[in-house]
Amino acid sequence: MDSNGNKKKISRTTAVLLAVFALSLLIFITVSVIIPTYEMNRFFRGYQVYGGMTEELKDSVLYEDMQSGRSFCFLGDSITNGNMTNGIAWYLPLKPYIKGKTSDVCCGGWTIKDLVEQEENIPEADIYVVAIGINDVLFPASVQASATESEFTYRAAKLADVLKHISPDSKIYFIAPWTFVEVDDWYVERGNRYRAALGEWCNGTDCIFINPDPAIMSVFETEDSHKYMFNEFHPNSPEGVGLFSYAVLKAAHDQGV
C-alpha cells in the first residue's frame, strides 16, 4: 500500500476515534450534568414558596444574604429535619435562591438546650438560621425544655455564644417558635410569650429576630389550615413547607431584616 493509502487509512481511523470520543463525551455530559440538573430542577419545582417568589419577598436583608454566596447552616427540630414530611425541611423552597453551601443540624424533639449541647456537631458557617423552641413551648415537663421564657432566652444566649465560638464572624438569625393550631389557649399564650421574649432578647444583641407567626396566621384567616398542616404543629409537604418558607421571607421584609 502506498503512502497515500496509509494516510487515508490513518485519517479514517482518526475520524472514527474522534467520533467515538465525541459520542462518549456527549453521553458523559448527559448522564453527569444534563439529567441530574433536570431532575434537580423538577424536584425543586414541587417545593415552591407559597404564592411564588415575588419582588416583595426578595426585598429583605435575609434574601440578600441568600444571594450573597455565603454558606448557610440551618439549626432546628423536627420541622427543620422534616420528620413528618419524608425528610423535607421547612427551608427547602428557599434552597434554589441560596447561592452558597447549605448544611443543617437538626433532630425531631430537640429543644434549644439540645442545640446548645451540639457544639461538636455544628459546622462552620457564614450564616446560621436557628428555628427552635416549639418543643420548649409545648412540652415544658421535658427535662430538656425551657420551663419559662427567661430560661429560653438564657439558652438562646448560650447558643449564640456557641455559634460565635465556632464561626466568630458569623451572622445569626433566630426564627420565633413556629405556629401551632387547634391547641389549648394555654399553649397559644405561652407561645406568644416565648416569641416576644426571644424578640426582645435579640433586639439587645447583634442576632436578628424573625417572627413568621403573623404571616402564617394571616393565611389561615382566609384558607383552611388543614391544607398546610400535618398536625397541630408540623407543616405538611409541599404546601406547608412552602407556606413556612414564605412566612419567613415575608416577616423578614415586614420587619426590615
Side-chain angles (χ1 to χ4, degrees):
M1 182 178 293
D2 58 25
S3 60
N4 289 334
N6 284 332
K7 289 179 180 178
K8 290 180 181 179
K9 183 175 181 181
I10 293 171
S11 297
R12 286 196 297 270
T13 302
T14 301
V16 170
L17 290 175
L18 287 174
V20 170
F21 174 77
L23 180 60
S24 299
L25 181 62
L26 179 61
I27 292 173
F28 172 78
I29 292 173
T30 300
V31 171
S32 63
V33 178
I34 297 175
I35 292 177
T37 300
Y38 171 78
E39 290 298 327
M40 181 179 69
N41 290 338
R42 187 176 70 168
F43 174 76
F44 279 116
R45 281 198 296 271
Y47 299 93
Q48 297 187 7
V49 173
Y50 169 84
M53 183 61 77
T54 63
E55 292 304 313
E56 179 187 38
L57 297 181
K58 294 179 182 179
D59 181 22
S60 71
V61 176
L62 173 60
Y63 186 81
E64 291 175 3
D65 285 339
M66 290 162 54
Q67 293 281 291
S68 69
R70 288 181 287 177
S71 59
F72 272 70
C73 181
F74 293 86
L75 307 175
D77 47 39
S78 58
I79 297 174
T80 302
N81 200 41
N83 287 49
M84 301 299 174
T85 51
N86 295 318
I88 302 301
W90 72 265
Y91 67 87
L92 182 67
L94 301 182
K95 284 193 72 173
Y97 306 97
I98 299 175
K99 302 303 183 183
K101 177 184 176 182
T102 61
S103 60
D104 59 38
V105 177
C106 47
C107 183
W110 270 2
T111 65
I112 197 166
K113 185 174 186 291
D114 290 297
L115 277 181
V116 171
E117 295 170 351
Q118 292 299 311
E119 181 171 4
E120 293 183 357
N121 298 318
I122 296 174
E124 293 181 358
D126 298 314
I127 298 168
Y128 292 102
V129 180
V130 182
I132 199 74
I134 197 165
N135 292 307
D136 294 89
V137 173
L138 292 174
F139 306 110
S142 168
V143 294
Q144 291 293 96
S146 305
T148 65
E149 58 267 34
S150 61
E151 187 174 24
F152 181 67
T153 55
Y154 169 77
R155 289 172 173 172
K158 292 189 68 174
L159 177 59
D161 288 342
V162 165
L163 299 179
K164 286 295 186 179
H165 180 259
I166 297 169
S167 297
D169 297 323
S170 62
K171 189 174 188 178
I172 304 172
Y173 287 91
F174 272 94
I175 308 297
W178 294 108
T179 299
F180 33 83
V181 297
E182 298 180 351
V183 296
D184 291 342
D185 290 343
W186 185 85
Y187 291 107
V188 174
E189 191 273 335
R190 183 174 164 85
N192 289 336
R193 292 204 320 267
Y194 277 57
R195 295 184 191 103
L198 182 62
E200 183 177 351
W201 172 80
C202 285
N203 287 338
T205 71
D206 60 355
C207 296
I208 300 172
F209 174 71
I210 296 178
N211 183 11
D213 183 69
I216 295 172
M217 297 308 294
S218 69
V219 172
F220 291 168
E221 288 175 2
T222 59
E223 300 186 49
D224 186 358
S225 63
H226 293 97
K227 178 180 177 181
Y228 301 98
M229 301 298 290
F230 176 83
N231 57 20
E232 292 88 346
F233 49 93
H234 288 100
N236 61 19
S237 173
E239 291 84 0
V241 296
L243 176 61
F244 278 37
S245 293
Y246 156 83
V248 168
L249 288 178
K250 182 68 164 60
H253 167 76
D254 292 347
Q255 296 170 207
V257 298

